[in-house]
Amino acid sequence: MQVKNIIVIMGPPGSGKGTQSKLLGEKLGYTYFSTGALLREIAKQHTPLGKEIASYIHRGIIIPDEMMTEIFRQKIGLMNSIEGLILDGFPRTVGQVKILGGLFKELGNPKVRALFLEVDKQKLLDRVIKRGEGRADDDPSVIEKRFEEYINKTAPVKDHYEKLGELVQINGDRPIEEVHSEIINKLGL
Ligand code: AMP
């Protein structure tokens, strides 16, 4: 599959990545792809892979890069060529950044931009607990672990895009529509 534009949406748990990714996808006519949603689907299946993935998600731990790569490649391989792709939750480790880089040629050297949604931690905790989506990993003890994983493994991804000058920072602590408008403005769309 070939894609002209990739927008990576990053941010800690509860920062509104999913909501903003979907809105942006609708606005631009880009395909929305959430690795978290895909993994939750696979986790529901009573297969060895499904059970293994479920055990990571329920503990708030990131799935190992090799496993994630395989799943990501497979999904991308099934897609038709598109104008743009919004990646919600991928890449989430520096290893995954390299994996995405390794796929660039196959994808037709897309233009990549990374958006980072900034929200302070106490507000994030309140949001995740209040959003009540019934996600098994929204339990307070699991949320703590997800934060820890985020700080240790995902924050370096933000630094990576910042160094490349591909990072767009957004204040995510505002009403949904305002955050959406800032995203559109800052991306120059
Ligand atoms: P999310 O819906 O993005 O919050 O993801 C929910 C859970 O799925 C995470 O806590 C991880 O266990 C797993 N997950 C989602 N995306 C990735 C990824 N790119 N790499 C590894 N694990 C992931």
Side-chain angles (χ1 to χ4, degrees):
M1 87 87 132
Q2 303 256 305
V3 54
K4 292 198 187 115
N5 297 283
I6 292 184
I7 300 179
V8 172
I9 312 239
M10 294 191 301
S15 57
K17 289 192 301 286
T19 305
Q20 293 300 334
S21 301
K22 283 178 209 152
L23 277 176
L24 192 59
E26 277 163 28
K27 165 93 183 169
L28 303 177
Y30 287 6
T31 299
Y32 165 71
F33 174 26
S34 152
T35 47
L38 175 63
L39 292 168
R40 279 189 288 280
E41 277 307 308
I42 302 174
K44 278 189 210 154
Q45 299 161 6
H46 299 285
T47 58
L49 179 68
K51 285 181 189 152
E52 196 173 350
I53 288 178
S55 89
Y56 284 109
I57 294 179
H58 293 159
R59 287 177 290 153
I61 299 173
I62 279 179
I63 273 96
D65 279 352
E66 312 78 66
M67 200 184 273
M68 191 63 238
T69 309
E70 195 49 43
I71 294 167
F72 184 78
R73 286 191 74 108
Q74 253 186 38
K75 181 76 185 181
I76 291 283
L78 293 173
M79 286 180 178
N80 293 320
S81 288
I82 45 174
E83 182 69 24
L85 183 64
I86 311 266
L87 289 179
D88 168 7
F90 186 94
R92 225 181 180 99
T93 65
V94 171
Q96 292 177 11
V97 172
K98 295 192 179 128
I99 290 153
L100 186 61
L103 287 172
F104 258 45
K105 252 193 165 159
E106 272 172 61
L107 295 174
N109 294 311
K111 178 175 168 57
V112 176
R113 277 169 297 184
L115 285 179
F116 181 77
L117 297 176
E118 192 97 59
V119 184
D120 95 26
K121 188 174 171 188
Q122 195 48 51
K123 291 217 172 103
L124 291 170
L125 286 173
D126 292 347
R127 273 196 198 179
V128 178
I129 291 162
K130 276 191 205 137
R131 72 181 172 189
E133 283 175 356
R135 273 172 57 165
D137 59 351
D138 279 350
D139 176 87
S141 64
V142 183
I143 295 169
E144 269 306 324
K145 187 67 197 169
R146 284 165 60 203
F147 268 105
E148 203 182 303
E149 288 281 271
Y150 171 79
I151 300 288
N152 294 333
K153 299 177 184 166
T154 309
V157 175
K158 178 191 168 200
D159 299 341
H160 166 86
Y161 284 116
E162 196 162 18
K163 277 189 201 125
L164 289 180
E166 290 172 356
L167 189 79
V168 175
Q169 300 229 41
I170 306 284
N171 170 7
D173 190 14
R174 283 171 309 153
I176 292 172
E177 274 307 322
E178 279 182 33
V179 176
H180 177 63
S181 300
E182 188 184 341
I183 292 176
I184 299 292
N185 289 337
K186 286 208 171 157
L187 286 175
L189 296 163

